[in-house]
Amino acid sequence: MSKIRPIGDRLLIKQHSAEQTYTNTNIYIPESNQTKEDRGTIVGIGDEVTGVFEGEVVLFNQFVQPVKVSHMDEDHLLLRQQDVWAVVDNE
């Protein structure tokens, strides 16, 4: 099993899933139709990244078409640091 190590100003992020699986009227929404959240946990950092650390939860711009990769048998995103908007504290 290979490990992905981002380079430059890139971050490897495990995107969080939407928590709500039912609508307000109790209609089930399958996971394939749920929208992903614009937050995730940093699991890898490139050598030019500053100000964020592995394990931190961040908000990011999901409309920049991040690169989707499989890492440790799970789906992850590769983003540039400039596409991260904020660090979420107390999560």
Side-chain angles (χ1 to χ4, degrees):
M1 183 178 315
S2 59
K3 181 173 178 169
I4 296 175
R5 185 175 48 90
I7 59 172
D9 67 342
R10 289 180 174 75
L11 300 163
L12 183 64
I13 296 179
K14 173 67 177 145
Q15 188 174 17
H16 295 182
S17 299
E19 293 181 13
Q20 185 176 356
T21 56
Y22 289 90
T23 65
N24 293 339
T25 57
N26 288 331
I27 297 174
Y28 175 73
I29 301 172
E31 187 174 329
S32 60
N33 289 350
Q34 291 181 21
T35 56
K36 296 277 189 173
E37 287 195 25
D38 56 353
R39 68 177 58 202
T41 303
I42 298 174
V43 295
I45 296 178
D47 54 353
E48 295 176 15
V49 175
T50 60
V52 294
F53 303 97
E54 285 188 26
E56 288 187 312
V57 176
V58 293
L59 296 176
F60 58 87
N61 182 358
Q62 62 181 341
F63 299 109
V64 296
Q65 297 181 343
V67 177
K68 296 177 182 179
V69 295
S70 180
H71 174 66
M72 309 294 270
D73 295 325
E74 294 183 333
D75 292 332
H76 288 70
L77 303 174
L78 271 174
L79 292 171
R80 291 188 176 272
Q81 185 176 11
Q82 69 187 20
D83 298 323
V84 173
W85 291 335
V87 175
V88 179
D89 289 329
N90 299 325
E91 208 163 83

